[in-house]
Amino acid sequence: MGACVLKFLTCLTTQHDLRLVLVAGLVCIAGCFTTFRLYSRMRGARGVVRSAWLLLTGLVAGSSVWATHFIAMVAYTPGLKTGYSPTGTLLSLMIAALFMASGFAVASAQRSTTNDFAGGVLLGLGVSAMHYTGMSAFVTQGQLVWEHATVGLSAILGVAGATAALVVAGSARTIRRQAMGGGLLCLGIVALHFTGMSAITIVPDATIVVPEQLLSGAMLTLAVVSITGMIILGGLGAVAIESQTSRSALERIRRLANAAYEGLVVVQSGKINDANAAFCELAGAPLAELVGRPLLGAILTFDDTNPNREGVRREGKLQPVAGGREIPVEVFSRLMDDGARIETTGLTVLAVRDLRERRAAEEKIRYLAEHDGLTGLPNRNSLQSRLAAAVERVEASGESLSVICIDLDHFKEANDQHGHLAGDAILVETARRLQSVVQAPSFAARLGGDEFIVVQVAGGDQPTAAAELAGRLIEMLSIPVAFDGQDLSLGSSLGVSLYPDDGRTAEALMANADMALYRAKESGRGVYRFFKREMDDSIRERRNLARDLRQGIADGELIVHYQPLARAIDGEVCGFEALVRWKHPTRGMIPPLDFIPVAEENGLIGALGDWVLRRACADAVSWEKPLRIAVNLSPIQLHNPALPSLVHEVLIASGLSPSRLELEITESALFKDYQRALDNLRRLKALGVRIAMDDFGTGFSSLSTLQSFPFDKIKIDKSFVENIHRHDRATVIVRAVLGLGRSLEIPVVAEGVETDEQILFLRGENCTELQGYAIGRPAPVDALEPWTMANAVSAFTEASTPPRRKAKRPA
Ligand code: C2E
Ligand code: CA
Ligand code: CA
């Protein structure tokens, strides 16, 4: 070994031009360093780009090794004439490049020491192959005698250097490591070369002629140094350009990412690799603090437990690093892969969107949808689910539950009288009072209008707890509400249903509390009523009736009967009153007093009244004599602003002269909305239609009513007529009304005239017209002919003497 080293040193110092050896060394160092720079680029690339880098790496490595060899050869001065055959020189360059490229390809095929090792061996063998092929191109005036052991050693040294270089710096990222790799490779090459050279002994032989046309040392050196220098520079240039472009591309991406509103975070093996400004802000920490931290399960958790599927939107929570409230987020994740760089594999980019604003907006929308805008109480929409939840709760806990329906008494009047602002103030105040007495889990809600609900969840016994609360509510709601310097006093009616006696579902409890409320209102308001089964039945009955009536109107089950009105003096029939009848398919004839209120409650009165008016006018037109036709109007019809135009249209459609039509209204119908009713009456009167005051004496019977509007007729209610001669009071009232009519010059009709006695009395008192069974019963239109024909007879058999009932009297 010592001999070897000695021989090596002797060979180097005595047989070489040391200046050229230095040049060879520099070329080798520069080439090897560049090779490792290129090699690291190649490892980061894929596809075509990778092949291009590999080619460049092989070329730079190959030409460097080759150049080192030849410059060192030129430095070799054995004292004899030397020269180089071009073919061998060129061949050795190609071998070098080929081996280098293959070595690096094998080393980078997989990230393992085995690959680095195998690649290193290939590199070392390549350097040897190049060296000895190059030596075969060497011609000198003598025989080359090889010392085989030293040749073997040289190859081992080359392989060892190259292998060490790859094992140490095969995956180097930093320039320092890359320089180390280059240095080791360079050492291997140099060691191989000079050991190889020391294995030669030249035995001079004058017979060998060195041809003149062979390449000379000086030319070779110049060419080799410059070409290799350019290749190395090219390689370095490529590395510089590439890192500059990728740096500026990265910079651009980062700027773009930072401008993004969404948080972007790059994750590699579960740890944060990079993030944009928005994400740092969300996570509440600077990037430097975030990098390297685990993301999933630590900073970010998903609501669902599905495996992480790429490109799927998932919701989760982000826990800021510095602590504080969790942030609801929406996350899209995507594998980052630009196809050309290996650095990006295994990286996942997550786009993290802050959902706080959206959640707040959703919250607000939900609140608006579930609450009443005016009072802030839960509204009808949310009542159902809240009540259902309360029922579920008491079912489980054994607490008691009651549903209290509240309706403000006289709210409509207050609203009409004092305006909508007053109405609003009352509702807001009512809501406030309700909320002041109920504590969660009990709650209050507004159903709409002036209807409220209180759901009471109580530990106490029922119905005691509900009765106590209902009593308190009534008391509380009877306190006047201050508005605009005035005290508006109202009251309330309450209906109560209890769980489970009156229902086990929210729907049943609500419906039954509503029925109880209906009863409370019926029994004079200002009270509360508990639900009772019987109520249920009677109300269900009414509902069925309403349903049948709606169908009946459509199916033509209604008919109109006509009752005659006769002049009191001579009994001549001067008109008829239209009285509606309902022939129910299974229940038979239903009297109007049973179904008119149902029609009024269920919004059917408009259609019903419309139909009666049309029928009556059409029938009247067919009569030979132009007799009057009286039609009853419900208060609801009277308050409909469209009534005058409807009447007008019916008159035109039927061709009835307006003066023949008489509309009957009751006094109480006027009082619901006095002004609007009077407006309507004036407009009707302007059409030429007559207006009669019906059932006079049963309502307020105030003189002012009669004065406020020029009625065309007063009808004394039959309850007074039937008591003539029986009760003095009734007789007095009939006389007074007749006197009133006379003084106001309004004709008076007596209703319900059944006896000759009554006829005589009324005639004696100057009553204008008579109506009642004594004159004629209500009858279908085809039974009216005796009265409607031109030559009709008097309704009295004898005009002067006490009259008897008419012969023809329809049932
Ligand atoms: P009303 O307007 O007071 O009609 C007179 C009622 O007295 C009618 O009852 C009639 O049959 C009955 N009547 C007539 N003469 C006598 C008699 O001598 N003795 C007795 N005891 N009763 C007599 P009806 O037909 O049952 O009508 C009851 C009420 O129904 C009517 O009272 C009226 O307010 C209402 N009504 C009837 N038809 C209509 C209609 O088409 N529209 C509206 N809105 N209401 C109607
Ligand atoms: Ca009437
Ligand atoms: Ca009447």
Side-chain angles (χ1 to χ4, degrees):
M1 186 69 191
C4 259
V5 175
L6 193 68
K7 231 166 88 189
F8 175 88
L9 287 175
T10 318
C11 164
L12 184 63
T13 50
T14 59
Q15 299 179 326
H16 284 80
D17 176 343
L18 283 179
R19 284 162 312 168
L20 279 176
V21 167
L22 196 68
V23 172
L26 285 177
V27 167
C28 188
I29 285 175
C32 289
F33 170 70
T34 308
T35 299
F36 268 81
R37 292 285 285 155
L38 288 167
Y39 178 54
S40 97
R41 290 293 124 177
M42 184 207 101
R43 273 182 289 117
R46 293 162 152 214
V48 184
V49 183
R50 188 187 175 95
S51 311
W53 283 120
L54 180 63
L55 194 74
L56 201 56
T57 311
L59 206 63
V60 168
S63 59
S64 303
V65 175
W66 178 78
T68 308
H69 171 81
F70 274 96
I71 297 163
M73 283 309 291
V74 174
Y76 181 59
T77 45
L80 295 164
K81 193 174 177 213
T82 56
Y84 305 89
S85 103
T87 347
T89 306
L90 210 65
L91 187 68
S92 65
L93 172 62
M94 273 148 67
I95 284 174
L98 204 72
F99 267 91
M100 294 295 137
S102 329
F104 283 116
V106 166
S108 65
Q110 228 171 2
R111 238 192 196 192
S112 75
T113 323
T114 322
N115 277 69
D116 283 336
F117 202 85
V121 170
L122 258 178
L123 292 187
L125 288 178
V127 179
S128 308
M130 190 283 308
H131 180 83
Y132 291 104
T133 316
M135 286 311 292
S136 70
F138 179 67
V139 185
T140 188
Q141 272 182 315
Q143 293 288 342
L144 297 187
V145 180
W146 296 90
E147 199 175 299
H148 293 291
T150 314
V151 168
L153 178 67
S154 77
I156 289 169
L157 284 174
V159 167
T163 310
L166 273 182
V167 170
V168 167
S171 54
R173 280 170 182 273
T174 59
I175 288 199
R176 264 187 55 185
R177 286 289 291 278
Q178 289 164 6
M180 251 166 81
L184 282 169
L185 180 62
C186 181
L187 265 178
I189 294 166
V190 170
L192 182 145
H193 181 86
F194 291 105
T195 311
M197 291 312 286
S198 64
I200 303 168
T201 315
I202 302 172
V203 182
D205 183 349
T207 58
I208 297 170
V209 183
V210 179
E212 283 305 320
Q213 71 270 32
L214 284 187
L215 300 171
S216 83
M219 260 173 62
L220 196 68
T221 310
L222 202 66
V224 165
V225 170
S226 47
I227 290 172
T228 310
M230 281 191 301
I231 291 175
I232 291 172
L233 281 178
L236 280 176
V239 171
I241 290 167
E242 200 268 349
S243 62
Q244 185 53 42
T245 38
S246 67
R247 202 174 306 132
S248 61
L250 268 175
E251 195 49 45
R252 246 198 347 262
I253 288 168
R254 181 171 293 280
R255 273 207 304 272
L256 209 66
N258 280 339
Y261 171 72
E262 280 175 358
L264 295 173
V265 57
V266 179
V267 180
Q268 189 168 35
S269 349
K271 300 227 168 82
I272 296 177
N273 185 294
D274 200 355
N276 71 348
F279 183 84
C280 294
E281 199 176 305
L282 271 181
L287 180 59
E289 213 177 290
L290 290 175
V291 169
R293 273 175 181 265
L295 179 73
L296 294 183
I299 296 178
L300 184 69
T301 45
F302 286 117
D303 294 345
D304 54 30
T305 48
N306 296 345
N308 189 9
R309 269 175 299 148
E310 206 206 330
V312 174
R313 172 185 167 280
R314 298 173 80 193
E315 289 192 359
K317 308 250 180 317
L318 192 138
Q319 176 63 58
V321 174
R325 288 187 63 175
E326 283 185 331
I327 300 168
V329 289
E330 182 180 59
V331 180
F332 289 92
S333 58
R334 202 168 278 289
L335 273 178
M336 199 161 133
D337 195 347
D338 64 5
R341 301 180 61 83
I342 283 184
E343 284 102 320
T344 57
T345 45
L347 292 185
T348 309
V349 188
L350 291 97
V352 181
R353 187 176 292 164
D354 184 351
L355 292 183
R356 278 176 299 186
E357 242 172 71
R358 193 198 292 175
R359 286 285 151 80
E362 283 169 356
E363 190 60 39
K364 180 140 197 207
I365 290 168
R366 191 171 324 123
Y367 182 87
L368 289 177
E370 290 182 351
H371 289 81
D372 169 43
L374 179 66
T375 63
L377 289 182
N379 62 14
R380 188 185 282 275
N381 289 343
S382 60
L383 173 68
Q384 195 71 18
S385 55
R386 279 170 196 254
L387 180 52
V391 166
E392 224 165 82
R393 177 197 160 103
V394 298
E395 221 163 44
S397 69
E399 289 164 296
S400 69
L401 183 142
S402 58
V403 174
I404 306 178
C405 266
I406 303 163
D407 189 281
L408 297 183
D409 298 336
H410 313 298
F411 174 76
K412 218 179 127 38
E413 287 92 319
N415 206 34
D416 286 349
Q417 227 168 40
H418 303 282
H420 288 292
L421 285 180
D424 286 356
I426 291 169
L427 294 173
V428 169
E429 176 59 17
T430 303
R432 198 193 61 72
R433 290 179 190 176
L434 293 182
Q435 278 196 304
S436 74
V437 283
V438 296
Q439 266 117 35
S442 300
F443 64 91
R446 183 182 171 203
L447 282 185
D450 59 343
E451 276 184 73
F452 294 86
I453 287 269
V454 166
V455 172
Q456 184 199 33
V457 176
D461 273 349
Q462 294 295 10
T464 325
E468 260 168 32
L469 179 60
R472 245 178 102 193
L473 288 172
I474 289 191
E475 205 175 297
M476 217 173 186
L477 297 177
S478 67
I479 301 169
V481 175
F483 174 75
D484 207 12
Q486 278 178 291
D487 277 343
L488 310 177
S489 59
L490 297 130
S492 56
S493 304
L494 276 58
V496 187
S497 67
L498 302 174
Y499 169 88
D501 294 354
D502 304 337
R504 290 183 161 272
T505 64
E507 291 82 3
L509 287 166
M510 288 279 297
N512 291 341
D514 191 48
M515 273 183 208
L517 171 64
Y518 183 84
R519 285 297 172 219
K521 283 200 268 191
E522 268 197 345
S523 45
R525 298 167 183 267
V527 293
Y528 66 83
R529 287 283 177 267
F530 276 93
F531 170 76
K532 293 204 175 57
R533 242 342 112 195
E534 312 84 72
M535 287 180 190
D536 194 15
D537 297 340
S538 84
I539 289 170
R540 188 174 305 125
E541 170 73 4
R542 276 177 99 89
R543 296 222 167 116
N544 288 343
L545 203 63
R547 191 197 54 216
D548 288 357
L549 181 58
R550 180 171 288 127
Q551 193 61 42
I553 294 173
D555 292 353
E557 287 167 18
L558 296 182
I559 42 175
V560 180
H561 278 190
Y562 297 91
Q563 185 176 34
L565 284 89
R567 258 200 325 245
I569 324 163
D570 52 9
E572 190 180 328
V573 169
C574 52
F576 293 90
E577 178 176 0
L579 294 162
V580 68
R581 300 285 178 264
W582 179 17
K583 233 183 205 157
H584 191 280
T586 54
R587 300 182 197 202
M589 206 59 119
I590 299 179
L593 287 178
D594 285 359
F595 69 84
I596 297 277
V598 173
E600 284 173 339
E601 272 166 31
N602 293 280
L604 300 170
I605 191 68
L608 188 150
D610 183 23
W611 180 81
V612 172
L613 183 68
R614 277 176 207 282
R615 185 73 258 144
C617 290
D619 286 343
V621 168
S622 68
W623 300 333
E624 275 184 23
K625 279 173 95 178
L627 301 173
R628 256 185 229 130
I629 174 72
V631 176
N632 292 286
L633 285 188
S634 144
I636 293 175
Q637 287 174 280
L638 183 63
H639 287 86
N640 182 1
L643 179 70
S645 54
L646 172 81
V647 170
H648 185 59
E649 188 256 308
V650 172
L651 286 171
I652 291 171
S654 63
L656 185 76
S657 155
S659 62
R660 289 178 62 194
L661 179 62
E662 198 163 71
L663 298 174
E664 296 189 3
I665 60 158
T666 58
E667 196 179 11
S668 54
L670 276 175
F671 286 103
K672 241 184 76 191
D673 185 344
Y674 204 77
Q675 207 46 52
R676 193 188 293 177
L678 276 188
D679 272 1
N680 259 356
L681 285 181
R682 291 207 181 94
R683 284 159 66 199
L684 286 168
K685 189 130 183 165
L687 293 175
V689 170
R690 294 159 57 90
I691 309 292
M693 161 106 326
D694 203 356
D695 299 349
F696 194 74
T698 57
F700 301 85
S701 307
S702 73
L703 259 176
S704 66
T705 315
L706 289 178
Q707 275 171 334
S708 65
F709 185 80
F711 287 96
D712 299 292
K713 188 179 269 182
I714 298 172
K715 298 183 82 172
I716 307 178
D717 193 66
K718 54 181 175 288
S719 59
F720 302 106
V721 175
E722 78 182 357
N723 285 321
I724 289 173
H725 298 316
R726 282 200 246 162
H727 292 290
D728 289 345
R729 249 178 78 82
T731 320
V732 170
I733 289 173
V734 171
R735 274 211 183 95
V737 175
L738 287 168
L740 198 63
R742 258 199 310 281
S743 61
L744 290 171
E745 295 178 6
I746 304 174
V748 178
V749 183
E751 287 187 304
V753 180
E754 294 186 357
T755 64
D756 294 346
E757 241 181 327
Q758 289 164 349
I759 297 176
L760 271 181
F761 172 81
L762 290 163
R763 220 168 8 151
E765 294 292 331
N766 287 326
C767 183
T768 327
E769 288 169 20
L770 307 175
Q771 183 182 358
Y773 297 163
I775 312 300
R777 286 184 178 256
V781 69
D782 48 20
L784 307 180
E785 265 181 22
W787 294 317
T788 58
M789 303 245 281
N791 57 352
V793 290
S794 163
F796 306 154
T797 34
E798 269 170 53
S800 49
T801 50
R804 294 201 305 272
R805 272 174 230 158
K806 224 186 81 359
K808 186 179 168 94
R809 218 176 56 195

